[in-house]
Amino acid sequence: MVPLALVAPGDRRLQLQLDRDDPESRVTINAKLEQGVRYQLRLDNEIVRLVEDQR
């Protein structure tokens, strides 16, 4: 679980490990983050996506 992470805006590479006991579950997301925008992780059909948080 990733409750909150503060990341500077710009082109970023985010690496996540989906299962703490399985190093093979690591995924990488390349994203251009904008200042003042909140994002959330979403799992769609086994694919992790970073999307804008609409709250």
Side-chain angles (χ1 to χ4, degrees), residues 29-51:
I29 299 172
N30 294 309
K32 182 170 186 160
L33 304 179
E34 297 180 28
Q35 185 167 339
V37 176
R38 293 178 71 148
Y39 297 91
Q40 65 179 340
L41 296 170
R42 182 165 292 157
L43 182 62
D44 291 324
N45 295 325
E46 303 290 322
I47 298 172
V48 178
R49 299 182 193 281
L50 187 68
V51 298

Side-chain angles (χ1 to χ4, degrees), residues 17-39:
Q17 189 166 327
L18 302 177
D19 182 339
R20 68 178 176 187
D21 298 324
D22 181 8
E24 297 293 318
S25 71
R26 188 171 296 159
V27 296
T28 300
I29 299 172
N30 294 309
K32 182 170 186 160
L33 304 179
E34 297 180 28
Q35 185 167 339
V37 176
R38 293 178 71 148
Y39 297 91

